[in-house]
Amino acid sequence: MKKKRLISLLLAAFITVMPLSFSFAAPTPEPTADNTTSTVTSPDGTTRTVTSDGNDVKSTPKATESTDTSSDTETTSATETPSDTSSDTSSTSDTTSQSDTDTTSQNANSLPDGVTMEDPSLTPPNVQYAQSALLMDMASGRVLYSKNLDERVYPASTTKIMTAILALEMGNMDDTVTATYDALKSITLEDSHMGILTGEELTLDQLVKGMLVYSANDAANVIAIHIAGSLDAFVDLMNQKAQELGMTGTHFVNPCGSHDDNHYTTARDLAILSKYAMKNDQFREIVKMPIYKIPATNKYASERILVNTNLFLGTSRSTYYYYPPAIGIKTGHTSQAGYCLVSAASYNDTEFLAIVMNCKNVDTKEQAYSYIDSKALFNFGFDNYTHQPLAAVGDIVSDSKVYEAKQDMRVAVTVENDVSALIPSGEGNAEQITTNIDMPEKLEAPITKGDVLGTVTYSYKGIEVGSANLIATNDVERNNILHVFHLVLKVITSPFFFIPAILLILLIMYARYQKKKRERQRRIQQLKKNRQRSSSENETGTRTPTRQEQKELTAKQKVQIQDTEDKTQKEVQSHLF
């Protein structure tokens, strides 16, 4: 009986524990990846398939054998008339897909050495070929991504950005310039040139356009001597301008970018220069020209057709990298500098500046790595950032009490210009923008509508993303009576009033002290005289009454006279009655 009962208890315990043991032993299921995909249209018009987290759907690229035999884009002869090919541009999207291959979702806390991002929570762009690189918001100057930002590199023909801006700021574009032997003697057939001949006459405008569009070294030298008188003098102007702009890691040796170990810059400095240059309207118009034609000159009977060396701007040199949002800026190449590209793109009111330095391009097709990395930077910017409106002119940002205002009128302030911020796209990011208003603690009347009263700054995760002046939206008159009262009160309580008043009081006290001192001395002298008189009287036996004694005698006489008069009056009255 006891054995049966014991078996029953063990069986019941076994049945109770079994489900628990299975639950402990069961493995925790792995979270399933969301494989939802969607189609995204890039700024260049290409269509890409992306996952729900915004990453591209990758395909393993196949190695292709290049048959491109085109020459270096920096050394193409100007005498050739380019033919505009119309081959299928669908290869552009294929190249983009290839450039994004092997992109890994790197953790924000484990960025590669030398790489920085303004928002580390974003997946960095796949910049795998450039020695140094940068993506900047052109409006604010914020660096969104960088790779070896301050590492010294050779600028090659991107040097001509500085040469051009000095020419535009210091020269007259209508000037006729004659090319000299000194300007052309260092130019070789291997250099990038537009075939300028000694004695050829060109306008400064033609020279600047030929230099920026076609990367002409000969044009750069001719410009330099025209502006400064010599190459060395112009180089001094270049370095002086670099210092003015804050390009602390840059030193120029020549105006065209020919290699010299002492001719160097950084990605940061090139961004500073390019952002500054793009504020010049003439510069902006020139650097986005796909083709420039120079008419016949005194040395050439026919026009010269110059095709922009920037493959983003057209299809004449290559159909692989035409990028409609591109608006410039400058290519560069030497064997020591590698292939460099300073480019800008504008899309949906957003402008980005991309810089890649020292890429090892192989051709102008699948292996033009400077364009692959630059495209990756632009895609990163346009895909991950958006403009968030913050304030418009007329919006009341704040209002404030005004000191000495008539009828206690307050002043309302609005932004001087519309303000928007470039922030990462995504839900909840706009709510992370903070506002900081900087205005004087005491605003004084009168205030006129439109007066600048302070500034407003907008920040995203501690990073300033926008700012504007704050201006008054209404007039505020001054209460003149209150103003006069405050002036009087201010005078009375002013140290400049107290000090003279204290000095005056001290002067009066000093004067009274001196007066008492004189009286005391006079009394002492009088006492001395009295003593001398007393001593003399004692010697003669007679004494002159003192003033006090004379007063007492006079008072007694008056009493006696008054008594006599009273007695006389009484006697008269007694006889009458």
Side-chain angles (χ1 to χ4, degrees), residues 174-246:
D174 295 327
D175 283 351
T176 298
V177 183
T178 301
T180 64
Y181 170 76
D182 287 339
L184 302 177
K185 64 182 180 181
S186 63
I187 304 300
T188 67
L189 293 177
E190 287 73 25
D191 289 329
S192 176
H193 64 88
M194 54 184 271
I196 298 176
L197 301 176
T198 301
E200 185 173 4
E201 296 178 352
L202 295 158
T203 66
L204 185 59
D205 179 72
Q206 291 172 334
L207 289 168
V208 172
K209 289 177 179 176
M211 177 184 66
L212 288 176
V213 172
Y214 203 69
S215 197
N217 287 8
D218 47 359
N221 285 0
V222 173
I223 290 170
I225 292 179
H226 173 72
I227 294 296
S230 69
L231 295 178
D232 289 341
F234 188 80
V235 169
D236 289 340
L237 293 177
M238 296 172 71
N239 287 316
Q240 180 181 338
K241 188 70 174 182
Q243 292 302 311
E244 291 175 3
L245 295 177

Side-chain angles (χ1 to χ4, degrees), residues 297-316:
T297 67
N298 62 323
K299 295 292 183 178
Y300 283 88
S302 59
E303 70 176 10
R304 277 167 285 185
I305 300 176
L306 308 180
V307 179
N308 203 311
T309 57
N310 188 343
L311 303 186
F312 277 155
L313 297 176
T315 57
S316 296

Side-chain angles (χ1 to χ4, degrees), residues 166 289 303 381 396 407 413 468 531 540:
L166 287 175
M289 298 174 64
E303 70 176 10
I396 303 302
Q407 298 177 349
V413 293
R531 288 176 182 176
T540 59

Side-chain angles (χ1 to χ4, degrees), residues 92-200:
T92 303
S93 59
D94 295 339
T95 305
T96 303
S97 177
Q98 258 193 337
S99 68
D100 289 337
T101 304
D102 299 330
T103 300
T104 59
S105 300
Q106 299 182 16
N107 188 286
N109 295 322
S110 59
L111 292 173
D113 291 342
V115 173
T116 62
M117 294 182 62
E118 183 187 80
D119 189 345
S121 65
L122 299 175
T123 301
N126 185 27
V127 178
Q128 54 183 323
Y129 303 108
Q131 175 184 342
S132 62
L134 170 149
L135 181 69
M136 173 185 283
D137 172 32
M138 289 276 279
S140 65
R142 291 156 48 205
V143 177
L144 308 180
Y145 168 89
S146 71
K147 176 182 179 181
N148 299 326
L149 182 63
D150 295 306
E151 186 171 302
R152 184 177 292 185
V153 290
Y154 298 123
S157 286
T158 61
T159 300
K160 298 182 176 84
I161 298 173
M162 175 63 82
T163 304
I165 203 63
L166 287 175
L168 291 170
E169 291 179 349
M170 302 179 67
N172 183 344
M173 293 297 104
D174 295 327
D175 283 351
T176 298
V177 183
T178 301
T180 64
Y181 170 76
D182 287 339
L184 302 177
K185 64 182 180 181
S186 63
I187 304 300
T188 67
L189 293 177
E190 287 73 25
D191 289 329
S192 176
H193 64 88
M194 54 184 271
I196 298 176
L197 301 176
T198 301
E200 185 173 4

Side-chain angles (χ1 to χ4, degrees), residues 506-521:
L506 292 174
L507 183 61
I508 292 173
M509 292 176 65
Y510 179 75
R512 291 183 65 182
Y513 168 77
Q514 290 295 328
K515 182 178 179 181
K516 290 181 179 180
K517 183 178 179 181
R518 286 194 299 271
E519 289 180 354
R520 188 165 53 252
Q521 290 176 348

